[in-house]
């Protein structure tokens, strides 16, 4: 893969803004490693070995608390279960790729990479492979760098670094990448408005209502455009 190719540059440009909301998670993970008592080098190496933010945080937390190996492994697998759906979705695209890519590609299959490959026009197999790897390893390099930085800077990183807003920004970024038509804009705005209107309800019921409303509206608008 040519790093300077237009498709690789596009992948880098697309992934960079999606990493910004994940930056607090990377720093927080470094703090978690230090506070857990796990050897720092070992904790940081999970960024290279596992490369999965939520899975790494779950693993480090349970290991630090002295949980049983079976419980740690089981819980970590459950946290990453969504990747099964990603794999099923991308399986047809991987079948046309070289064997080396079918082995390497799953290593960088994260939420952001999956989302970008779904909203980008990557009908050509070579373009798909170059974009996928460039996007995946762009995020990987920054994740490895900033989780290590989090360990080094753990003593001066504040206890609260905006994780709640970072979650919102991360998924908002993925949403904006997917919006291409007017009907999608209308659906997104209506869903956001519904969620805000019912935000006072307990147990996140407002979000459930917003999802149901957006699904209904999206179905109607897709039917009208067909």
């Amino acid at each position: 893969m040519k790093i300077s190719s237009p498709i690789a540059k596009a992948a880098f440009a697309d992934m960079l803004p999606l990493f910004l909301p994940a930056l607090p998670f990377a720093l927080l993970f470094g703090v978690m490693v230090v506070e857990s008592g796990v050897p720092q080098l070992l904790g940081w190496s999970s960024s290279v070995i596992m490369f999965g933010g939520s899975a790494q945080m779950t693993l480090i937390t349970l290991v630090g608390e002295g949980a049983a190996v079976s419980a740690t492994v089981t819980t970590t697998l459950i946290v990453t279960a969504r990747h099964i759906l990603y794999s099923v979705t991308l399986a047809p695209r991987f079948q046309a790729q070289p064997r080396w890519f079918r082995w390497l590609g799953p290593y960088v299959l994260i939420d952001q990479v999956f989302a970008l490959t779904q909203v980008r026009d990557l009908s050509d197999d070579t373009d798909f492979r170059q974009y996928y790897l460039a996007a995946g390893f762009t995020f990987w390099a920054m994740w490895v760098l900033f989780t290590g930085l989090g360990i080094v800077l753990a003593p001066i990183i504040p206890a609260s670094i905006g994780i709640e807003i970072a979650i919102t920004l991360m998924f908002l970024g993925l949403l904006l990448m997917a919006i291409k038509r007017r009907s999608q804009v209308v659906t997104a705005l209506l869903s956001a408005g519904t969620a805000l209107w019912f935000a006072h309800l307990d147990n996140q019921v407002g979000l459930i209502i917003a999802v149901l409303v957006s699904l209904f509206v999206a179905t109607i608008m897709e039917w009208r455009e067909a």
Side-chain angles (χ1 to χ4, degrees):
M1 181 185 69
K2 296 181 178 179
I3 299 178
S4 60
S5 68
I7 194 70
K9 291 180 179 179
F12 176 80
D14 289 346
M15 183 57 78
L16 188 59
L18 292 185
F19 180 79
L20 295 179
L23 178 56
F25 288 97
L27 296 176
L28 177 63
F29 175 74
V31 175
M32 291 176 62
V33 170
V34 174
E35 294 182 347
S36 68
V38 174
Q40 295 180 10
L41 182 59
L42 179 62
W44 174 80
S45 69
S46 66
S47 293
V48 179
I49 299 172
M50 297 178 60
F51 183 43
S54 57
Q56 289 177 243
M57 291 182 174
T58 301
L59 179 65
I60 292 299
T61 299
L62 293 176
V63 170
E65 294 176 350
V69 174
S70 57
T72 301
V73 173
T74 301
T75 305
T76 304
L77 289 175
I78 292 174
V79 169
T80 58
R82 67 188 184 282
H83 288 79
I84 297 176
L85 298 178
Y86 296 165
S87 300
V88 171
T89 302
L90 291 177
R93 300 304 311 269
F94 271 60
Q95 291 174 356
Q97 298 294 338
R99 178 176 296 180
W100 65 265
F101 177 83
R102 296 200 299 270
W103 281 96
L104 178 62
Y107 174 66
V108 291
L109 179 55
I110 57 175
D111 300 331
Q112 290 83 351
V113 172
F114 175 78
L116 288 177
T117 57
Q118 297 306 297
V119 301
R120 267 280 185 174
D121 182 12
L122 301 168
S123 55
D124 182 78
D125 290 334
T126 301
D127 287 348
F128 173 83
R129 181 169 64 252
Q130 291 186 0
Y131 186 91
Y132 181 99
L133 291 178
F137 280 102
T138 293
F139 197 102
W140 175 86
M142 292 187 289
W143 179 259
V144 170
L145 172 63
F146 282 99
T147 52
L149 190 61
I151 293 175
V152 174
L153 300 180
I156 63 174
I157 292 178
S160 176
I161 53 177
I163 294 301
E164 293 80 5
I165 188 63
I167 296 174
T168 302
L169 291 176
M170 181 171 64
F171 285 100
L172 181 60
L174 296 176
L175 173 64
L176 292 177
M177 290 293 299
I179 293 178
K180 295 182 178 180
R181 303 195 307 271
R182 186 178 64 178
S183 60
Q184 294 172 326
V185 175
V186 173
T187 303
L189 291 176
L190 182 60
S191 178
T194 304
L196 290 174
W197 183 264
F198 292 103
H200 63 282
L201 299 179
D202 296 331
N203 301 317
Q204 304 295 325
V205 173
L207 290 178
I208 298 176
I209 296 175
V211 169
L212 295 176
V213 169
S214 63
L215 287 174
F216 176 76
V217 172
T219 301
I220 296 299
M221 298 198 74
E222 288 291 332
W223 175 74
R224 291 184 60 184
E225 292 181 357

